[in-house]
Every structure is written in C-alpha cells, then in structure tokens.
Amino acid sequence: MFVLLCSGVMETKNDQALVGVQNYLERAAERLKPSAPIKFHISSRTDAGVHALANAAHLDIQRPPGKAPFSSQQLVQGLNHHLRPEPIRILSAQRVSSTFHARFCALSRTYIYRLLLGCAHHSQIPVFEQDLCWAPAGGPLDVAAMREAAQFLLGTHDFSSFRSLHAEAAAQSPVRTLLQLQLQPAPGFLQQHYLHSGLEFWEVKVKSRSFLYRQVRRMVGALVAVGQGRLAPAQLRELLELRDPRAFPPHAMAPAAGLFLQRVEYSPEDLASPPAEEKLCGLS
C-alpha cells in the first residue's frame, strides 16, 4: 500500500503532460529488470489533486531465468529506491493468490475530507496546509445542521444526484451503500507549533465498498452548503430522491485538495500468502 501525495493514481497517456502515480510506479518496476512488462492494478483511482495516505495495488513480476524471485523486502526497497525523489512511498508488500485483485477484492474504502474553519481570507491558511484542506468562505459552519443532513445519506441509495455528469460515470450503477459518514474535529499538521487563533480543523469521514466518480466531493460540498445555510438538511434528502446529477447545486462540489484516501480493507482470506504465487500487492 502506498502513501501518495501526488496528481492521482490514474495512468496518463504518453501525449499528456501530467504524469500519474501509476506511471511512476511502472517506471520504477521496469528498472528492476523484470522478464516481462509490469502493469500495476490500483485499488482506488483518484482525481488530480486528491491525496492518498494509503492505497493498494497488485502486480505480477517475473525475474529472468536463473534469478531468484523477489522477496517482499527486496521489492519494497527496490521500488522505493527508483521512486526517489517523487513523493511516493511503498510501505509494505506481500505475496497473494493469483485470484487477488486490488480493486475488486476490496471490502471497503475510507476517505477523509479536511475542512479548515475560521479563515476570513485564504492568506490565513497555514503554509504547510496549502493544498491539503478546504477553507470554505462565508464564516462559521453550522456543524449540527451538517450532521443532521449527513444522516439522510447513510445506507443504500441511488446516488445519481451526487455523481459526475462525466460520460464514463453514466455507465456505472448509481446504487451505493454508505457505511459511515461522520463529521468530527481534527488536528492540523504541526498545529502545536503555530498560533492561529480561531482556526479549527474538521474531518468528514466516509466509508463504502465503492464510490461513484466525484461522489465524495459532491457530498462534502452539499454538506458545507448546509453548514452555510444555503441548503436545509431536508433538502439533501430531496436531492437524493431526485436521482438526477443535473439537480446538484452549481459550484457546490468540494475542491480536490482536501480529499484523502485513508484506508482500503480486504478480508484475511484474500490476503493469504500462497508460497508458489508470483503476484504481489502493497499492504498498509
């Protein structure tokens, strides 16, 4: 599993200027001189600007005849060596069954969205929090109203109103089960070392087996609109019931910078390590 602070894990095409994490991972793996091309399969694809504290991927890697298979430690050390100086780290790796798939075997994914409250102007955002949180304009947020609105989103629903109008998104089933949606106070990075009176960090924590494209950012944006008084809590239920992405309030989607993939969970059976397999995956 990887700690990622980067442009997202989507592979980019050769004619694009933006290079994704998957590209960096595959370049690093190729420098280990495998006997066949390497393809990483990432558990969770993220937008440009979204961060990952821990992501998972699997890959099949074969060494030339006469070379012993990589151990987990050798793979971690080798990839990290070739990933320098990119802000990407492999935390650990282990062998898994050839039937394992980092994306499709995931039981759940947990995201956190970091909010900074109390900023009268963007210049008040601490310098080491730049691009790592969202400081909504317009004064304090009504957290109680946001928590009330969040209850309407929990459970299994058709989340069409909270998905992107992107053409690819339209092909997905809009039904998802939201297992957790919490709003809670949170510390800032290095908060104990600076004084910014009146600033408060909060986290929106969401958990589901899978999410629609940009669903989390739209849900957070709608909750912030409730906190600002631009929407009533009950209007989130009405929005949900409309099942129409065009009904989503314009300009209400939260920016990418505050969103972090925190955890991807698998069953112990899927992570069992058969001795003869060559497929490896990253683990937290």
Side-chain angles (χ1 to χ4, degrees):
M1 192 165 277
F2 316 119
V3 174
L4 312 175
L5 291 173
C6 52
S7 61
V9 301
M10 279 296 288
E11 178 183 20
T12 58
K13 303 300 182 185
N14 291 333
D15 59 348
Q16 289 182 278
L18 183 65
V19 178
V21 173
Q22 183 169 342
N23 302 87
Y24 285 117
L25 293 173
E26 290 175 356
R27 288 178 187 176
E30 290 299 331
R31 295 182 71 178
L32 298 178
K33 299 181 179 179
S35 61
I38 296 293
K39 178 73 173 179
F40 274 79
H41 300 269
I42 309 287
S43 73
S44 303
R45 297 175 294 177
T46 55
D47 292 343
V50 175
H51 315 289
L53 298 173
N55 205 338
H58 78 257
L59 72 154
D60 294 296
I61 184 165
Q62 298 177 0
R63 302 195 75 185
K67 294 281 189 178
F70 285 113
S71 69
S72 297
Q73 184 178 10
Q74 287 173 329
L75 186 65
V76 170
Q77 291 177 345
L79 288 175
N80 281 334
H81 174 75
H82 292 300
L83 284 168
R84 294 181 304 178
E86 303 304 329
I88 306 166
R89 294 295 180 271
I90 310 300
L91 301 181
S92 64
Q94 75 174 65
R95 297 185 181 278
V96 291
S97 165
S98 61
T99 61
F100 178 88
H101 196 288
R103 180 181 176 190
F104 301 117
C105 290
L107 296 180
S108 69
R109 295 165 173 86
T110 301
Y111 285 85
I112 57 171
Y113 195 99
R114 302 182 68 242
L115 296 170
L116 176 57
L117 309 186
C119 275
H121 189 267
H122 66 82
S123 62
Q124 290 182 303
I125 301 174
V127 66
F128 24 77
E129 293 283 0
Q130 295 286 340
D131 299 322
L132 298 175
C133 63
W134 177 28
L141 298 180
D142 186 341
V143 173
M146 294 170 70
R147 284 174 168 161
E148 179 185 348
Q151 298 305 305
F152 296 124
L153 301 177
L154 283 169
T156 302
H157 304 285
D158 182 325
F159 281 95
S160 290
S161 296
F162 292 89
R163 72 176 177 183
S164 172
L165 285 167
H166 195 277
E168 277 186 32
Q172 295 179 302
S173 168
V175 177
R176 294 291 186 272
T177 300
L178 204 60
L179 302 170
Q180 184 180 22
L181 179 52
Q182 292 181 330
L183 181 63
Q184 54 201 12
F189 298 138
L190 302 177
Q191 189 171 11
Q192 69 272 27
H193 297 297
Y194 63 86
L195 295 176
H196 283 273
S197 58
L199 296 186
E200 296 181 12
F201 286 92
W202 287 74
E203 287 180 356
V204 181
K205 186 175 185 179
V206 293
K207 179 179 179 179
S208 176
R209 180 166 186 174
S210 62
F211 293 91
L212 298 170
Y213 183 52
R214 295 188 173 174
Q215 178 186 347
V216 176
R217 290 171 59 191
R218 284 179 168 238
M219 291 191 303
V220 171
L223 290 174
V224 167
V226 169
Q228 294 171 328
R230 295 189 289 120
L231 290 176
Q235 286 182 279
L236 252 66
R237 178 175 58 189
E238 296 170 4
L239 186 60
L240 195 64
E241 292 172 350
L242 285 173
R243 303 178 182 178
D244 184 356
R246 294 167 297 182
F248 189 80
H251 313 299
M253 184 170 67
L259 185 58
F260 293 74
L261 174 61
Q262 184 191 45
R263 181 182 302 112
V264 183
E265 295 180 311
Y266 299 94
S267 71
E269 293 78 13
D270 283 330
L271 295 179
S273 304
E277 293 292 347
E278 288 297 316
K279 183 175 285 188
L280 291 143
C281 72
L283 296 174
S284 60

